[in-house]
Amino acid sequence: SQELEQSPQSLIVQEGKNLTINCTSSKTLYGLYWYKQKYGEGLIFLMMLQKGGEEKSHEKITAKLDEKKQQSSLHITASQPSHAGIYLCGAEFSSGSARQLTFGSGTQLTVLP
Amino acid sequence: DAGITQSPRHKVTETGTPVTLRCHQTENHRYMYWYRQDPGHGLRLIHYSYGVKDTDKGEVSDGYSVSRSKTEDFLLTLESATSSQTSVYFCAITSGLANEQFFGPGTRLTVL
C-alpha cells in the first residue's frame, strides 16, 4: 500500500549485528501492528502500538511509535539466524472497533551465521 | 495460537468453478477477517465480520462473498474462480485486551 511504506525492502546482516526496519504512514495511525512471517507460513504477531511515543519490547525486538503517530520502527538487537524472515507492518487508519488493517510490502531479513 | 484453523490448506481448481474456504475459531471472537496475500501487493482485506450475519466489504471484495451463520465459522466463497484469484488466503481474528489481530495458517489457492 502506498499509504504505508516499509524500508528497507530487504536487509542482509551478519549474526550479532543490530538492525532497524521502518514503517512510515502518510496518515495518522490509530494502531500499528508488527508481524513476522516465514516463507510459505502464517503471520506471527509481534507487537501492537497505539499511543504516540509508545515503545514495547519482546526478547531482543523493540518497536516504537513516534509522537506524531506516523512512523514506527522495529529494532532487533544482536540478531540471530532465528530472526530471519519477512517483517510486516500493518496499520489502522481509523479509530473504529473493526480493526481493518492496511499492510506494508514487507522487509525480507536475512541473518548470516 | 488464537485457536484459528483454515480449511483446506491447499486447493487447486479450474477457472469458473465455485470455491469455498473455511475459517474456524474456537474462542468466541466477535471479529473475523479474510485477507489475501500476493507478491507485489502484500496483504489486502477482502471482507470482515463483526458478528453472526454481520459482514462488510474490504479493499478487494469484488468476486468474493462471505457468510457467517455461527460465531465460530467465517466462510469465503469465490462464486466463479478466476486465475487472478490465485493467492494465499489468510483468516484473522481480533483478541486480547487491546483487540490485537491474530492470523490463521493460510490457504494456498491455485486457479488454473
Side-chain angles (χ1 to χ4, degrees):
Chain A
S1 166
Q2 292 184 343
E3 295 175 309
L4 202 63
E5 296 283 342
Q6 260 187 263
S7 62
Q9 287 188 330
S10 66
L11 194 53
I12 301 173
V13 299
Q14 203 71 41
E15 182 177 358
K17 296 295 186 183
N18 302 336
L19 63 103
T20 300
I21 299 168
N22 293 302
C23 183
T24 302
S25 170
S26 58
K27 302 189 289 187
T28 299
L29 298 165
Y30 284 90
L32 192 287
Y33 296 67
W34 283 102
Y35 295 89
K36 178 186 174 184
Q37 185 179 30
K38 292 279 194 182
Y39 181 76
E41 299 181 10
L43 281 71
I44 300 168
F45 174 81
L46 296 176
M47 280 168 278
M48 174 190 170
L49 305 164
Q50 287 185 294
K51 300 175 184 176
E54 186 175 13
E55 179 176 322
K56 289 186 178 178
S57 294
H58 177 66
E59 297 180 343
K60 294 184 178 180
I61 302 176
T62 300
K64 301 178 185 179
L65 182 61
D66 74 339
E67 290 289 345
K68 292 183 178 180
K69 295 175 64 175
Q70 286 193 281
Q71 185 170 33
S72 178
S73 59
L74 186 83
H75 184 78
I76 298 177
T77 303
S79 59
Q80 301 169 355
S82 61
H83 288 126
I86 301 168
Y87 288 81
L88 296 160
C89 63
E92 275 184 87
F93 290 121
S94 64
S95 59
S97 56
R99 297 286 192 268
Q100 300 172 64
L101 298 185
T102 299
F103 281 85
S105 54
T107 296
Q108 172 81 56
L109 173 64
T110 303
V111 181
L112 302 175
Chain B
D1 183 356
I4 309 167
T5 57
Q6 292 185 232
S7 59
R9 294 293 314 279
H10 301 271
K11 185 170 181 70
V12 179
T13 191
E14 293 188 349
T15 297
T17 59
V19 176
T20 295
L21 308 183
R22 180 185 184 226
C23 178
H24 179 77
Q25 52 117 340
T26 58
E27 298 179 8
N28 206 34
H29 300 296
R30 180 183 174 193
Y31 286 90
M32 299 182 75
Y33 310 79
W34 277 108
Y35 291 85
R36 59 178 288 175
Q37 185 177 35
D38 306 287
H41 292 280
L43 276 149
R44 293 177 292 174
L45 181 65
I46 305 171
H47 281 279
Y48 67 97
S49 169
Y50 47 97
V52 173
K53 298 185 181 178
D54 291 323
T55 64
D56 206 347
K57 296 179 179 180
E59 179 187 355
V60 290
S61 59
D62 287 348
Y64 300 95
S65 63
V66 289
S67 65
R68 194 166 177 201
S69 59
K70 45 186 179 177
T71 300
E72 57 266 36
D73 288 325
F74 190 32
L75 304 181
L76 178 71
T77 297
L78 292 65
E79 301 289 347
S80 178
T82 67
S83 58
S84 64
Q85 292 175 313
T86 292
S87 187
V88 180
Y89 291 86
F90 287 100
C91 174
I93 55 92
T94 54
S95 178
L97 292 173
N99 281 326
E100 295 142 346
Q101 196 160 124
F102 297 93
F103 284 75
T107 293
R108 184 172 296 275
L109 175 67
T110 302
V111 183
L112 301 175

